[in-house]
Amino acid sequence: MSNRLVVFTLDAQRYALPLASVQQVVRVAEITPLPKAPEVVLGVIDLKGKIIPVMSMRKRFGLSEPEINLSDQIIMADIPTRSIGLVVTSVNGVVERTAEEVADAEKIVPGAQYVEGMTRLEDGILFIHNLDGFLSKKEDQQIEGLLDLAAGRG
């Protein structure tokens, strides 16, 4: 079995998402704030007529949150309940790893939230993220309600 991973950077650290959960990568667009949204939500963007919540992976991982640069990118990805945008410094491409090349994060760092595995690159470690639990049930419900209100369905 082979794992295809989309590699991206936040500042200087590289991370990855399973390719199967990624729809596309877009350039940073104007992000409209979503009042009363959970802290991890930067706002929303309109992507081809669909309102997509944009999340901060930095806030979720406890990293500092610099101003968004025009060179930043947004990874459009699927979580179990919806499509979301994830702001990243850059997307570096796709790598392929066999199951044997991916270490189970729980065995290396017990309790590591949002990380499902780790693998080596030629010049460092790559953390593979699991988006299934990226939002708590409460955060997801809060976002759903706010998006309904924004769309006039609330």
Side-chain angles (χ1 to χ4, degrees):
M1 184 199 140
S2 175
N3 294 309
R4 298 188 70 190
L5 305 166
V6 175
V7 179
F8 63 92
T9 57
L10 288 177
D11 306 323
Q13 177 62 49
R14 282 178 298 187
Y15 301 90
L17 293 171
L19 179 62
S21 66
V22 174
Q23 298 170 8
Q24 64 179 320
V25 177
V26 297
R27 290 171 31 156
V28 151
E30 186 172 341
I31 299 171
T32 304
L34 188 60
K36 299 182 182 164
E39 186 181 21
V40 71
V41 178
L42 295 171
V44 294
I45 59 171
D46 182 338
L47 186 69
K48 299 176 186 162
K50 193 172 177 193
I51 303 299
I52 307 287
V54 177
M55 312 291 165
S56 169
M57 292 193 86
R58 286 183 174 91
K59 280 187 183 162
R60 180 57 61 192
F61 300 155
L63 303 172
S64 65
E65 183 78 51
E67 287 290 313
I68 293 175
N69 286 315
L70 290 175
S71 61
D72 287 348
Q73 294 179 297
I74 300 176
I75 296 175
M76 305 309 297
D78 292 320
I79 60 173
T81 53
R82 72 184 74 254
S83 294
I84 61 171
L86 301 163
V87 176
V88 301
T89 306
S90 63
V91 175
N92 307 96
V94 176
V95 297
E96 207 160 326
R97 291 292 182 263
T98 64
E100 294 78 35
E101 293 174 302
V102 176
D104 182 357
E106 192 63 31
K107 290 179 182 164
I108 298 169
V109 186
Q113 279 188 298
Y114 319 115
V115 179
E116 70 180 27
M118 298 177 204
T119 189
R120 282 193 174 87
L121 293 176
E122 299 72 37
D123 53 355
I125 300 290
L126 186 64
F127 294 98
I128 303 164
H129 288 281
N130 178 351
L131 290 178
D132 289 357
F134 188 79
L135 291 176
S136 69
K137 189 173 178 87
K138 181 181 177 189
E139 287 171 329
D140 195 52
Q141 290 170 340
Q142 197 176 354
I143 291 166
E144 184 67 29
L146 292 169
L147 290 174
D148 283 348
L149 276 175
R153 295 187 302 253

